[in-house]
Amino acid sequence: MKKFYISLLGSALVSIIVLGWLIDAFSQQAHAPLDEFSVQSQIIVGLSKQLTTLKPDARPQQVTKLAADFDLILNYKLNQSLALPLALLDKMQTQGGLILEDEQGFYMLYTNDELSPYHLTMRLDKPYEATQRNDIILTLLFYTGLCVFMGFIITPLAKRLTVLNEAAKQFASGNVKARITPSRFTYIKDVELTFNRMASQIEKLVAENKLMASSLSHDIRTPIACLRFGVDAALDSHDESKIKHYLTRMETDLDHMESMLKSYLTFATLEQNANKLTYSSANLKQYLSDIVLQLEPRITSRSLNISLECDDHTVYADLHWLARAITNLINNACDFANHSIRVTASVQERFLVVNIADDGPGIAQENNHKVFSPFFRERSHRNRSDNSYGLGLAIVAKVADWHHGTVKVSKSERLSGACFTLTIAQFEH
């Protein structure tokens, strides 16, 4: 929008200055009195030469006769009758004489050494109609030119606003894929890009909500069916030991349902934290060492070896959510690793790069992008504990996106299992 404001203001100023200058130049040319009365100045000079051939006493009568013969308003008066400064009185002796203007018209005054101390005065009417007509035409030309100049600025804006309005209508009608194709010749590029980001975010949220509803309805059927079976079996049984057994199984199913719903609700409200990130800095090596230390009981229980290789740099991020992402990646490695997990981290060109590799079965290449989708679980090797709902890696992807980074998976060259690479931006602070 800043570009639009600057262009609009600049165009308005340029158009006013250019049009004003052109109209002023034309107006001066059209209203130059000396150019308009060049013929009259020659007439008054010629008449004065005739008067100088006569005696002073005969000159007033001759002026009256000339005025009648040529239908002119001529007067022959003393210079002292004029209430003018000496500079203007001296100007009456110049080639064109002195021209004075009042509301009705012009006065042309002329004298020379032979006529002094008298002068000739010739009255000239002002062309009212022509002057008014020219003023009206010039005014209309000014505003027409201004409108044309402003049209060059407003027209592209109107077109882009129409495009934005059409995209908004399509989006409102249910086409969540409606987007605006950015143009270099637009003043509202920021608005268009913001609309596209908003539309992408809404599309993503709608897709996640649909997927979550579908997955929840699918996954919750099994524990509900188990609960119903347990209730029916407990009601039909008269053996207290069996009833207690059924109730224990039902309690386990309820715990499973509670865990499932908690995970789903946590993911559903996860996006609200995108605007609540709290950035701080920490020593990268110490930070990762603390995360590994917290996960040591689980790593030990699985009889796994974990190695940490890290540069001694400073990391700048939301340390809570970054730790959540790294923890999810290490937990995922614990689920599928056979013996070893390797964690490496470094800062490269203002990006923090964390690699977490394991020696497990790896990820099928066709699923490299799917594993970061919510509720996705590979059928070939599900989580051993069966307590995963396919949300851990989806949370990692969201944390990476919040930090203007990426997360991807590939095959580890060293351990031959999966290798997850988390990259987040390091801003100046």
Side-chain angles (χ1 to χ4, degrees):
M1 294 300 290
K2 183 184 295 184
K3 180 181 177 182
F4 169 67
Y5 294 142
I6 294 175
S7 300
L8 185 61
L9 181 60
S11 299
L13 291 176
V14 170
S15 61
I16 290 173
I17 293 172
V18 172
L19 290 172
W21 177 76
L22 291 174
I23 292 175
D24 185 62
F26 178 79
S27 178
Q28 289 182 357
Q29 183 179 5
H31 293 86
L34 291 178
D35 292 338
E36 290 181 357
F37 304 133
S38 59
V39 175
Q40 288 85 341
S41 64
Q42 293 177 5
I43 293 175
I44 198 170
V45 170
L47 294 177
S48 65
K49 289 181 179 179
Q50 291 187 16
L51 293 179
T52 56
T53 61
L54 302 175
K55 294 181 180 181
D57 295 340
R59 292 175 181 175
Q61 184 178 359
Q62 181 63 20
V63 170
T64 304
K65 184 175 182 302
L66 290 172
D69 292 341
F70 292 97
D71 193 19
L72 298 173
I73 301 176
L74 289 175
N75 289 299
Y76 184 70
K77 297 180 180 180
L78 285 169
N79 294 344
Q80 296 178 354
S81 64
L82 298 174
L84 296 175
L86 293 177
L88 292 180
L89 292 175
D90 293 338
K91 198 172 182 180
M92 289 193 302
Q93 299 186 27
T94 59
Q95 178 63 31
L98 175 64
I99 298 177
L100 299 177
E101 182 180 6
D102 60 12
E103 294 181 356
Q104 286 75 33
F106 300 92
Y107 288 95
M108 183 175 289
L109 295 85
Y110 180 78
T111 186
N112 53 33
D113 294 337
E114 288 79 5
L115 289 180
S116 184
Y118 289 88
H119 67 275
L120 272 177
T121 301
M122 184 166 60
R123 176 68 174 175
L124 302 173
D125 293 332
K126 182 183 290 187
Y128 288 102
E129 295 182 0
T131 301
Q132 292 177 355
R133 190 181 304 112
N134 289 337
D135 290 342
I136 293 173
I137 292 174
L138 291 176
T139 302
L140 292 176
L141 286 176
F142 175 80
Y143 286 110
T144 301
L146 186 60
C147 291
V148 170
F149 269 99
M150 299 307 295
F152 283 110
I153 303 300
I154 300 299
T155 300
L157 174 63
K159 290 182 178 179
R160 298 310 298 177
L161 288 177
T162 301
V163 172
L164 177 62
N165 184 51
E166 290 300 322
K169 285 182 178 179
Q170 294 181 23
F171 196 86
S173 64
N175 181 13
V176 294
K177 294 187 179 296
R179 300 291 186 275
I180 299 173
T181 303
S183 171
R184 292 185 300 175
F185 306 101
T186 178
Y187 303 111
I188 55 172
K189 187 174 182 179
D190 293 340
V191 176
E192 295 173 359
L193 294 177
T194 301
F195 174 85
N196 287 343
R197 287 195 297 269
M198 177 200 69
S200 298
Q201 191 70 12
I202 292 176
E203 181 186 9
K204 186 177 180 181
L205 290 174
V206 170
E208 288 180 355
N209 287 336
K210 288 181 179 179
L211 184 59
M212 184 174 67
S214 175
S215 299
L216 181 60
S217 62
H218 176 271
D219 292 345
I220 207 170
R221 289 176 184 175
T222 299
I224 289 179
C226 292
L227 280 173
R228 182 174 295 279
F229 172 78
V231 171
D232 292 341
L235 291 175
D236 294 338
S237 177
H238 300 285
D239 188 342
E240 291 186 4
S241 61
K242 288 185 177 181
I243 294 175
K244 185 175 182 181
H245 172 71
Y246 292 139
L247 291 176
T248 302
R249 288 181 53 183
M250 291 168 62
E251 183 179 13
T252 302
D253 291 333
L254 286 172
D255 290 340
H256 180 58
M257 289 181 61
E258 184 180 5
S259 176
M260 180 191 303
L261 291 174
K262 184 178 180 181
S263 298
Y264 276 56
L265 292 175
T266 298
F267 184 80
T269 59
L270 195 62
E271 199 62 36
Q272 298 177 4
N273 298 294
N275 298 322
K276 300 178 182 179
L277 298 183
T278 303
Y279 281 77
S280 56
S281 58
N283 180 272
L284 179 58
K285 190 171 186 178
Q286 184 63 46
Y287 177 69
L288 293 178
S289 298
D290 292 341
I291 294 176
V292 172
L293 184 62
Q294 292 175 3
L295 296 174
E296 188 173 358
R298 187 160 193 263
I299 296 171
T300 303
S301 66
R302 298 297 308 277
S303 301
L304 299 173
N305 296 319
I306 186 168
S307 63
L308 174 62
E309 300 175 15
C310 176
D311 295 341
D312 194 12
H313 286 286
T314 299
V315 59
Y316 184 67
D318 186 301
L319 300 180
H320 167 73
W321 285 108
L322 179 59
R324 176 81 175 271
I326 296 174
T327 299
N328 286 359
L329 290 175
I330 296 178
N331 278 328
N332 184 78
C334 289
D335 289 334
F336 301 107
N338 295 320
H339 303 97
S340 301
I341 298 174
R342 183 168 178 258
V343 179
T344 62
S346 62
V347 176
Q348 305 172 7
E349 298 180 355
R350 297 184 180 179
F351 282 92
L352 170 64
V353 181
V354 181
N355 293 291
I356 299 174
D358 61 69
D359 60 350
I363 304 293
Q365 188 173 0
E366 63 271 15
N367 293 331
N368 281 354
H369 295 290
K370 296 179 181 178
V371 293
F372 300 108
S373 300
F375 317 110
F376 177 82
R377 286 170 286 181
E378 279 200 306
R379 295 184 179 275
S380 58
H381 48 81
R382 290 198 171 200
N383 184 284
R384 291 190 179 94
S385 63
D386 200 27
N387 288 329
S388 172
Y389 307 106
L391 298 176
L393 295 180
I395 292 174
V396 174
K398 280 192 175 292
V399 172
D401 184 58
W402 295 345
H403 288 81
H404 306 280
T406 59
V407 60
K408 60 182 180 180
V409 63
S410 60
K411 184 176 181 180
S412 173
E413 296 180 359
R414 185 167 178 176
L415 299 180
S416 300
C419 178
F420 288 87
T421 301
L422 174 64
T423 303
I424 67 169
Q426 297 291 280
F427 297 104
E428 297 289 340
H429 61 282

